[in-house]
Amino acid sequence: QVQLVESGGGLVQPGGSLRLSCTASGYSFTGRRMAWYRQAPGKQRELVAGITSVGETNYEDSVKGRFTISRDDDKNMVYIQITNLKPEDTAVYYCNRLDSRFLGPWGQGTQVTVSS
């Protein structure tokens, strides 16, 4: 059974940084395009960053230059480094497949709260 597990969130002040991690049981990231999504209170889940199987990346405009997605297939991990956090980055962050046709079951996500 596929299970995605996100971790690394927390409460941080504006301007702070976090690194979020994602792993999976019963599922290999190797060869698959992966992504990070987020869902802010009262809003729909949105794609923020994607990474191909060979490490090519793309980002939603509002996070470009602040978010860096990466992967380590040997460890079956996907990461996102978030810097210069803003209050509008407050959301639950999830990882999943980049291609919406192949989304796996959503994990619980990890809460990021940016507040002074």
Side-chain angles (χ1 to χ4, degrees):
Q1 184 175 354
V2 175
Q3 184 176 10
L4 294 165
V5 180
E6 300 89 355
S7 62
L11 172 63
V12 295
Q13 294 186 342
S17 299
L18 285 172
R19 188 175 84 150
L20 310 183
S21 301
C22 171
T23 190
S25 58
Y27 189 79
S28 173
F29 295 154
T30 301
R32 295 182 164 107
R33 300 190 302 168
M34 299 299 299
W36 281 93
Y37 300 79
R38 67 184 179 187
Q39 187 167 18
K43 295 186 177 181
Q44 289 190 334
R45 187 176 286 145
E46 64 173 350
L47 172 68
V48 295
I51 187 166
T52 69
S53 61
V54 295
E56 298 166 329
T57 59
N58 60 79
Y59 301 91
E60 192 267 330
D61 285 346
S62 70
V63 309
K64 283 180 180 177
R66 301 188 299 118
F67 287 24
T68 304
I69 188 172
S70 61
R71 65 191 297 156
D72 185 337
D73 288 347
D74 289 340
K75 296 181 179 178
N76 207 40
M77 298 289 291
V78 177
Y79 307 97
I80 191 161
Q81 180 74 39
I82 306 174
T83 62
N84 191 21
L85 277 157
K86 303 177 180 182
E88 53 264 41
D89 295 320
T90 294
V92 180
Y93 285 72
Y94 304 87
C95 70
N96 212 315
R97 298 282 295 272
L98 177 59
D99 192 332
S100 60
R101 297 173 297 171
F102 303 123
L103 290 172
W106 294 96
Q108 291 188 334
T110 187
Q111 175 72 48
V112 172
T113 303
V114 185
S115 175
S116 55

